[in-house]
Amino acid sequence: ETGVTQSPTHLIKTRGQQVTLRCSSQSGHNTVSWYQQALGQGPQFIFQYYREEENGRGNFPPRFSGLQFPNYSSELNVNALELDDSALYLCASSWGTGGNSPHHFGNGTRLTVT
Amino acid sequence: TQLLEQSPQFLSIQEGENLTVYCNSSSVFSSLQWYRQEPGEGPVLLVTVVTGGEVKKLKRLTFQFGDARKDSSLHITAAQPGDTGLYLCAGVGNDYKLSFGAGTTVTVRA
């Protein structure tokens, strides 16, 4: 069974640039959720993708967008990067969209915006 | 702003001691999950509690869900250095999405 993998592991970008983060879901899982974890905080829900459609969104601006592909892998895109976007970005896959479905997290992408 | 408040924020104890971490909210959750996160890794699910008043045990870890399904606690008996990590609680709300607390950093000294 292949777990959730995220790439890249670390990334440094400049304010105003755009970034794409990638996530491969665990085999058998059809739902991907993205979270932002700032230093010293718990993960904050960004959005969830199910059947290639956005299925719920947290309190994040439209410059945060995503995609899900037919193989259930997913991308998180952030435009016009701001310094406050520096965080650990976590992807979690699950079977089904409910919060009660066990979420399996990847090890995250550490994004630094300078 | 975290919907769930965790306390304490930091906890440092000696190996063999007991500890309790609390997770409180003014909101009712359909279920609550506990995760442990180690540096450089994603959170790993420990347990899900669903019923008010429910108690679940996982070896030396005991999880309790409050009767009103607004709060939960995690108790570790005879802590070991391997228990060191960030403990996160997450509630499942009406939108079926997870809301995390800010976490409790536990350090167990050998």
Side-chain angles (χ1 to χ4, degrees), chain B residues 43-86:
Chain B
V44 175
L45 179 65
L46 297 174
V47 79
T48 300
V49 284
V50 179
T51 306
E54 181 177 5
V55 176
K56 277 193 175 178
K57 292 191 174 183
L58 187 68
K59 296 184 181 177
R60 294 175 294 100
L61 278 60
T62 301
F63 304 85
Q64 185 161 6
F65 201 13
D67 291 340
R69 291 186 287 124
K70 293 182 179 181
D71 54 87
S72 182
S73 64
L74 156 61
H75 183 78
I76 302 180
T77 304
Q80 299 175 0
D83 296 325
T84 292
L86 175 67

Coordinates of all heavy atoms in Angstrom, one line a residue, chain B residues 43-86:
Chain B
P43 N 0.6 14.7 10.4 CA -0.1 14.1 11.6 C -0.5 12.7 11.3 O -0.9 12.3 10.1 CB -1.3 15.0 11.7 CG -1.0 16.3 11.0 CD -0.1 15.9 9.9
V44 N -0.5 11.8 12.3 CA -0.9 10.4 12.2 C -2.1 10.3 13.1 O -2.0 10.6 14.3 CB 0.2 9.5 12.6 CG1 -0.3 8.0 12.6 CG2 1.4 9.6 11.6
L45 N -3.2 9.7 12.6 CA -4.4 9.5 13.4 C -4.2 8.5 14.5 O -3.7 7.4 14.2 CB -5.5 9.1 12.5 CG -6.9 8.8 13.1 CD1 -7.5 10.1 13.7 CD2 -7.9 8.2 12.1
L46 N -4.6 8.9 15.7 CA -4.5 7.9 16.9 C -5.8 7.3 17.1 O -5.9 6.1 17.3 CB -4.0 8.7 18.1 CG -2.6 9.3 18.1 CD1 -2.4 10.1 19.3 CD2 -1.6 8.2 17.9
V47 N -6.9 8.1 17.2 CA -8.2 7.6 17.5 C -9.3 8.5 17.1 O -9.0 9.7 16.9 CB -8.3 7.4 19.1 CG1 -8.5 8.7 19.8 CG2 -9.3 6.4 19.5
T48 N -10.5 8.0 16.9 CA -11.7 8.8 16.7 C -12.7 8.5 17.7 O -13.0 7.3 18.0 CB -12.3 8.5 15.3 OG1 -11.3 8.8 14.3 CG2 -13.5 9.4 15.1
V49 N -13.2 9.5 18.4 CA -14.3 9.2 19.4 C -15.6 9.9 18.8 O -15.6 10.9 18.3 CB -14.0 9.8 20.8 CG1 -13.0 8.9 21.5 CG2 -13.4 11.2 20.7
V50 N -16.7 9.1 19.0 CA -17.9 9.5 18.3 C -19.1 9.8 19.3 O -19.8 10.7 19.1 CB -18.4 8.4 17.3 CG1 -19.7 8.8 16.7 CG2 -17.3 8.2 16.3
T51 N -19.2 9.0 20.3 CA -20.3 9.1 21.2 C -20.0 9.9 22.5 O -18.9 9.7 23.1 CB -20.7 7.6 21.7 OG1 -21.0 6.8 20.5 CG2 -22.0 7.7 22.5
G52 N -20.9 10.8 22.9 CA -20.7 11.5 24.1 C -20.4 10.6 25.3 O -21.1 9.6 25.5
G53 N -19.4 10.9 26.1 CA -19.0 10.1 27.2 C -18.1 8.9 26.9 O -17.7 8.1 27.8
E54 N -17.9 8.7 25.6 CA -17.1 7.6 25.1 C -15.6 7.6 25.7 O -15.0 8.7 25.7 CB -17.0 7.5 23.6 CG -16.3 6.3 23.0 CD -16.4 6.3 21.5 OE1 -16.9 7.3 20.9 OE2 -15.8 5.4 20.9
V55 N -15.1 6.5 26.1 CA -13.7 6.3 26.5 C -13.1 5.2 25.6 O -13.6 4.2 25.5 CB -13.6 5.9 28.0 CG1 -12.2 5.7 28.3 CG2 -14.2 7.0 28.9
K56 N -11.9 5.6 25.0 CA -11.2 4.6 24.2 C -9.8 4.5 24.7 O -9.2 5.5 25.1 CB -11.2 5.0 22.7 CG -12.4 4.6 22.0 CD -12.2 4.8 20.5 CE -13.4 4.3 19.7 NZ -13.2 4.5 18.2
K57 N -9.3 3.3 24.8 CA -7.9 3.0 25.2 C -7.1 2.5 24.1 O -7.5 1.6 23.4 CB -7.9 2.1 26.4 CG -8.5 2.7 27.7 CD -8.3 1.9 28.9 CE -8.8 2.6 30.2 NZ -8.5 1.9 31.4
L58 N -5.9 3.0 24.0 CA -4.9 2.5 23.0 C -3.6 2.3 23.7 O -2.8 3.3 23.9 CB -4.7 3.6 21.9 CG -3.9 3.3 20.7 CD1 -4.6 2.2 19.9 CD2 -3.7 4.5 19.8
K59 N -3.4 1.1 24.3 CA -2.2 0.8 25.1 C -2.2 1.7 26.3 O -3.0 1.7 27.1 CB -0.9 0.9 24.3 CG -0.9 -0.2 23.1 CD 0.4 -0.1 22.4 CE 0.4 -1.2 21.3 NZ 1.7 -1.2 20.5
R60 N -1.2 2.6 26.4 CA -1.1 3.5 27.5 C -1.8 4.8 27.3 O -1.8 5.7 28.2 CB 0.4 3.8 27.8 CG 1.2 2.6 28.2 CD 2.7 2.9 28.4 NE 3.3 3.2 27.1 CZ 3.5 4.5 26.6 NH1 3.2 5.5 27.4 NH2 4.1 4.7 25.4
L61 N -2.5 5.0 26.2 CA -3.2 6.2 25.9 C -4.7 6.0 26.2 O -5.3 5.0 25.7 CB -3.0 6.6 24.5 CG -1.7 7.4 24.1 CD1 -0.5 6.6 24.4 CD2 -1.7 7.8 22.7
T62 N -5.3 6.9 26.9 CA -6.8 6.9 27.1 C -7.4 8.2 26.6 O -7.0 9.3 27.0 CB -7.1 6.7 28.6 OG1 -6.5 5.5 29.1 CG2 -8.6 6.7 28.9
F63 N -8.4 8.0 25.8 CA -9.1 9.2 25.2 C -10.5 9.2 25.7 O -11.2 8.2 25.8 CB -9.1 9.0 23.7 CG -7.8 8.8 23.0 CD1 -7.2 7.6 23.0 CD2 -7.1 9.9 22.5 CE1 -5.9 7.4 22.4 CE2 -5.8 9.8 22.0 CZ -5.3 8.5 21.9
Q64 N -11.0 10.4 26.0 CA -12.4 10.6 26.5 C -13.0 11.7 25.7 O -12.4 12.7 25.5 CB -12.4 10.9 28.0 CG -13.7 10.9 28.6 CD -13.7 10.8 30.1 OE1 -12.7 10.7 30.7 NE2 -14.9 10.6 30.7
F65 N -14.3 11.5 25.4 CA -15.1 12.5 24.7 C -16.1 13.0 25.7 O -16.8 12.1 26.4 CB -15.8 11.8 23.5 CG -16.3 12.8 22.4 CD1 -15.9 14.1 22.4 CD2 -17.1 12.3 21.4 CE1 -16.3 15.0 21.4 CE2 -17.6 13.2 20.4 CZ -17.2 14.5 20.4
G66 N -16.3 14.3 25.8 CA -17.2 14.8 26.8 C -18.7 14.4 26.5 O -19.0 14.2 25.4
D67 N -19.5 14.4 27.6 CA -20.9 14.0 27.4 C -21.6 14.9 26.4 O -22.4 14.4 25.6 CB -21.6 14.1 28.8 CG -21.1 13.1 29.8 OD1 -20.6 12.1 29.3 OD2 -21.3 13.3 31.0
A68 N -21.3 16.2 26.4 CA -21.9 17.1 25.4 C -21.2 17.2 24.1 O -21.6 18.0 23.2 CB -21.9 18.5 26.1
R69 N -20.2 16.4 23.9 CA -19.4 16.3 22.6 C -18.8 17.7 22.3 O -18.7 18.1 21.1 CB -20.3 15.8 21.5 CG -20.6 14.3 21.7 CD -21.4 13.7 20.5 NE -22.7 14.2 20.4 CZ -23.3 14.8 19.4 NH1 -22.6 15.0 18.3 NH2 -24.5 15.1 19.4
K70 N -18.4 18.4 23.3 CA -17.7 19.7 23.0 C -16.2 19.6 23.5 O -15.5 20.6 23.2 CB -18.4 20.8 23.8 CG -19.8 21.2 23.4 CD -20.3 22.3 24.2 CE -21.7 22.7 23.8 NZ -22.2 23.9 24.6
D71 N -15.9 18.6 24.2 CA -14.5 18.6 24.8 C -14.0 17.2 24.8 O -14.8 16.2 24.8 CB -14.4 19.2 26.2 CG -15.4 18.6 27.1 OD1 -15.1 17.6 27.7 OD2 -16.6 19.1 27.2
S72 N -12.7 17.0 24.9 CA -12.1 15.7 25.0 C -10.7 15.8 25.7 O -10.2 16.9 25.9 CB -11.8 15.2 23.5 OG -11.2 14.0 23.5
S73 N -10.3 14.7 26.2 CA -9.0 14.7 26.9 C -8.2 13.4 26.4 O -8.8 12.4 26.0 CB -9.2 14.6 28.4 OG -9.8 13.5 28.8
L74 N -6.9 13.6 26.5 CA -6.0 12.5 26.2 C -5.1 12.3 27.4 O -4.4 13.2 27.9 CB -5.1 12.8 25.0 CG -3.8 12.1 24.8 CD1 -3.9 10.6 24.7 CD2 -3.1 12.7 23.6
H75 N -5.1 11.1 28.0 CA -4.3 10.8 29.1 C -3.2 9.7 28.8 O -3.6 8.7 28.2 CB -5.1 10.3 30.3 CG -4.4 10.0 31.6 ND1 -4.0 11.0 32.4 CD2 -4.0 8.8 32.1 CE1 -3.3 10.5 33.4 NE2 -3.3 9.2 33.3
I76 N -2.0 10.0 29.1 CA -0.9 9.0 28.8 C -0.4 8.6 30.2 O 0.0 9.4 31.0 CB 0.2 9.6 28.0 CG1 -0.3 10.1 26.6 CG2 1.3 8.6 27.7 CD1 0.7 10.7 25.7
T77 N -0.4 7.3 30.4 CA 0.2 6.7 31.6 C 1.6 6.2 31.4 O 1.9 5.7 30.3 CB -0.7 5.5 32.0 OG1 -2.1 5.9 32.1 CG2 -0.2 4.8 33.3
A78 N 2.4 6.5 32.3 CA 3.8 6.0 32.3 C 4.5 6.4 31.0 O 4.9 5.6 30.2 CB 3.9 4.5 32.5
A79 N 4.5 7.7 30.7 CA 5.0 8.2 29.5 C 6.5 7.8 29.1 O 7.3 7.6 30.1 CB 5.0 9.8 29.4
Q80 N 6.7 7.6 27.9 CA 8.0 7.1 27.4 C 8.5 8.2 26.4 O 7.8 8.9 25.8 CB 7.9 5.8 26.7 CG 7.4 4.7 27.6 CD 7.2 3.3 26.9 OE1 7.4 3.2 25.7 NE2 6.8 2.4 27.7
P81 N 9.9 8.2 26.2 CA 10.4 9.2 25.2 C 9.8 9.1 23.8 O 9.7 10.1 23.1 CB 11.9 8.8 25.2 CG 12.2 8.3 26.6 CD 10.9 7.5 26.9
G82 N 9.3 7.9 23.4 CA 8.7 7.7 22.2 C 7.3 8.4 22.1 O 6.8 8.5 21.0
D83 N 6.8 8.9 23.2 CA 5.5 9.6 23.2 C 5.7 11.1 22.8 O 4.7 11.8 22.7 CB 4.8 9.5 24.5 CG 4.4 8.1 24.9 OD1 4.1 7.3 24.0 OD2 4.5 7.7 26.1
T84 N 6.9 11.5 22.7 CA 7.3 12.9 22.4 C 6.7 13.3 21.1 O 6.8 12.5 20.1 CB 8.8 13.1 22.4 OG1 9.3 13.0 23.8 CG2 9.1 14.5 21.9
G85 N 6.0 14.4 21.0 CA 5.5 14.9 19.7 C 4.4 16.0 19.9 O 4.2 16.4 21.1
L86 N 3.8 16.4 18.9 CA 2.8 17.4 18.9 C 1.4 16.7 18.8 O 1.2 15.9 17.9 CB 2.9 18.4 17.7 CG 1.8 19.4 17.5 CD1 1.8 20.4 18.7 CD2 1.9 20.1 16.2

